[in-house]
């Protein structure tokens, strides 16, 4: 498999980035709502952590579908740019945050030399994105000043969210999309075709 991106792969990656950029912006409001609900219980810092994995999902999906170096990072970056262009309250700094999240996701695929895309790899990629983004937020958002127990617990919640909402959900959504046949010209669609041909589970 060549590592050079084809035009159709660039187009699909861009479409995913734009679509999830919009979704990310919506989930910012969802996170704010959850945070407001948790305030009376003293658990406001967990408001966004519970759903933080959703902000990594495009990197997982794009990488799983296209299986090329740099796809996870680029898709996440595109989504971040779209969020900013749509008026995210986070401002331009969000682009840097998206780049860091993308690097975290990409790191796991790079460690496998972009050869393995099993569920456990996707889950690890989501967890890695969570850790990268968490470390960045410790300093960019001043979270380093939080109580140690709160730092540890929010990190654990973000890692779980990254594993489930980015890794597991990202794979499931991609597989469902592939089953429709719209991805037959891409790596994931071709893999599905081979499995059907040879009766693999």
């Amino acid at each position: 498999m060549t590592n050079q991106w084809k035009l159709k792969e660039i187009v699909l990656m861009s479409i995913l980035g734009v679509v999830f950029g919009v979704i990310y912006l919506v989930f910012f409001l969802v996170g704010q709502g959850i945070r407001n609900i948790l305030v009376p219980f003293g658990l406001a810092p967990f408001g966004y952590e519970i759903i933080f994995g959703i902000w990594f999902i495009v990197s997982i999906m794009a990488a799983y579908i296209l299986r090329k170096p740099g796809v996870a990072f680029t898709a996440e970056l595109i989504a971040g740019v779209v969020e900013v262009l749509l008026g995210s309250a986070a401002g331009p700094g969000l682009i840097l945050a998206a780049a860091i999240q993308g690097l975290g996701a990409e790191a796991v695929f790079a460690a496998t030399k972009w050869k393995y895309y099993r569920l456990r790899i996707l889950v690890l990629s989501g967890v890695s994105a969570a850790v990268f983004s968490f470390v960045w937020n410790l300093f960019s958002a001043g979270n380093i000043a939080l109580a140690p127990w709160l730092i540890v617990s929010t990190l654990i919640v973000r890692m779980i969210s990254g594993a489930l909402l980015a890794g597991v959900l990202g794979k499931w959504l991609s597989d469902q999309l592939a089953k429709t046949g719209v991805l037959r010209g891409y790596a994931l669609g071709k893999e599905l075709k081979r499995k059907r041909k040879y009766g693999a589970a």
Side-chain angles (χ1 to χ4, degrees), residues 3-184:
N3 288 332
Q4 185 175 359
W5 295 354
K6 297 177 181 177
L7 178 59
K8 65 179 183 180
E9 293 171 333
I10 295 173
V11 170
L12 178 60
M13 178 175 59
S14 299
I15 291 173
L16 288 172
V18 171
V19 169
F20 279 95
V22 175
I23 292 174
Y24 288 178
L25 193 59
V26 171
F27 268 84
F28 177 82
L29 300 176
V30 173
Q32 187 63 47
I34 297 174
R35 185 178 185 279
N36 292 339
I37 292 173
L38 294 177
V39 166
F41 305 98
L43 300 174
F46 292 92
Y48 284 100
E49 302 301 336
I50 294 171
I51 60 169
F52 217 100
I54 204 69
W55 281 287
F56 317 140
I57 194 171
V58 73
S59 57
I60 306 297
M61 290 183 64
Y64 180 49
I65 292 170
L66 301 178
R67 307 186 180 192
K68 296 287 180 68
V71 168
F73 170 78
T74 306
E76 194 69 42
L77 186 61
I78 292 172
V81 170
V82 170
E83 273 191 273
V84 171
L85 292 177
L86 290 176
S88 171
L94 181 61
I95 297 176
L96 179 55
I100 291 170
Q101 291 171 185
L103 282 173
E106 189 76 49
V108 173
F109 298 117
T112 71
K113 297 183 179 179
W114 298 277
K115 292 181 179 179
Y116 302 104
Y117 294 87
R118 301 184 183 93
L119 177 59
R120 63 177 177 270
I121 298 299
L122 304 184
V123 167
L124 284 174
S125 182
V127 171
S128 179
V131 172
F132 271 57
S133 65
F134 192 87
V135 172
W136 167 249
N137 289 154
L138 280 178
F139 303 99
S140 66
N143 292 347
I144 192 70
L146 296 174
W149 74 268
L150 192 54
I151 291 176
V152 173
S153 56
T154 50
L155 171 59
I156 292 172
V157 172
R158 187 179 297 197
M159 289 170 63
I160 293 172
S161 183
L164 298 179
L165 295 184
V168 177
L169 181 60
K171 182 181 187 302
W172 184 82
L173 288 175
S174 300
D175 287 340
Q176 299 312 302
L177 194 59
K179 288 176 182 178
T180 68
V182 298
L183 300 179
R184 57 182 173 274

